[in-house]
Amino acid sequence: MIVWNRHHILKSSVAVLTALTLGACGTVQTTQGGVVGVDRKQMMVVSPEQIEQASQQAYAKTTAEARGRGALNSNAAQVARVKKIANLLIAQTATFRPDARNWQWEVSVISAPDVNAWVMPGGKMAIYTGLIEKLQLTDDELAAVIGHEMAHALREHARERASEQAVAGLGISVLAAAAGIGDAGQKGMEFAYQGLLGLPNSRRHETEADRIGVEIAARAGYNPQAAVSLWQKMGQQGGGGPPKFLSTHPPREDRLSDLTVYAQRVMPLYQQAKGK
């Protein structure tokens, strides 16, 4: 007779968790590398259909609420400006994902003071007037914002984060139960996950979106150097920001340095687009 003590249970649970994780995970290449060379493979356990369905529901809810208060696409001139820029950028997404041509792209402008913009998986996007007005964005800077958000969608960062959380949640539950560490210990493991894996991955996503975003903008004929002035304005708007080790975004100095390098790298694409 074998007595399954805590040590044996823990080892067994880790083995089972590993088998489940490896069996469920799939390595995918969501985008082509482009000139900026973003070619990291990603591990996914959540299906693209699940993420896109959730995104469509969230988009429908957000736009319905905005429509209800008269804040959806209420300024015709502003909407025309945003859609013109977005459509030029959309035309360049095939450089990274040929299938993006078939996405059901949709652009909404929401009248609200939020300094915010997003593009959901599948191409549904919203730009908030607070972003445009408070930062007094030029067309090039607005292209930098939209290109960055498009890059998140092209790279399926939301799906990757959901996959990481799904695997981490399973692992934390199994290991906490096996080790008998209780709720407090489980919370500690969750915080450890966020600090050691979760937040650094978010910073990596932001860097990837920055690099792809400047290339999309450059190919569409927008000055990629505007990404630098954009984030300078963002820094002035948001203050100093949280410490680097607690932030889901790269520190401003690191971000500006990286954007300067990659904006210069794609400058020939911008010059070629402007020369057409």
Side-chain angles (χ1 to χ4, degrees), residues 159-203:
R159 181 183 167 204
E160 187 177 12
R161 286 195 302 272
S163 296
E164 291 166 357
Q165 291 165 4
V167 172
L170 173 62
I172 289 169
S173 298
V174 170
L175 295 178
I181 58 178
D183 292 342
Q186 183 167 336
K187 280 295 181 185
M189 293 176 72
E190 290 171 356
F191 287 135
Y193 167 76
Q194 285 296 323
L196 296 174
L197 182 60
L199 297 184
N201 274 356
S202 294
R203 291 194 287 270

Side-chain angles (χ1 to χ4, degrees), residues 25-129:
C25 284
T27 302
V28 299
Q29 188 79 40
T30 55
T31 59
Q32 298 172 6
V35 170
V36 293
V38 176
D39 57 3
R40 176 181 63 89
K41 291 185 178 180
Q42 298 156 277
M43 297 296 291
M44 304 291 196
V45 299
V46 176
S47 73
E49 291 78 16
Q50 288 174 305
I51 291 296
E52 188 162 345
Q53 182 180 9
S55 297
Q56 289 174 351
Q57 292 173 348
Y59 182 77
K61 182 175 184 294
T62 300
T63 53
E65 290 174 350
R67 185 180 296 107
R69 59 178 186 271
L72 183 67
N73 298 326
S74 58
N75 184 319
Q78 211 165 44
V79 171
R81 180 192 178 201
V82 171
K83 286 189 174 182
K84 177 183 177 181
I85 295 170
N87 287 335
L88 288 171
L89 295 172
I90 289 168
Q92 302 303 320
T93 58
T95 298
F96 292 94
R97 287 190 66 140
D99 68 312
R101 294 190 187 98
N102 301 321
W103 287 9
Q104 299 300 308
W105 294 93
E106 189 172 340
V107 183
S108 291
V109 178
I110 297 177
S111 298
D114 310 62
V115 179
N116 195 19
W118 41 261
V119 179
M120 289 187 171
K124 309 298 185 186
M125 72 179 76
I127 313 299
Y128 291 72
T129 57

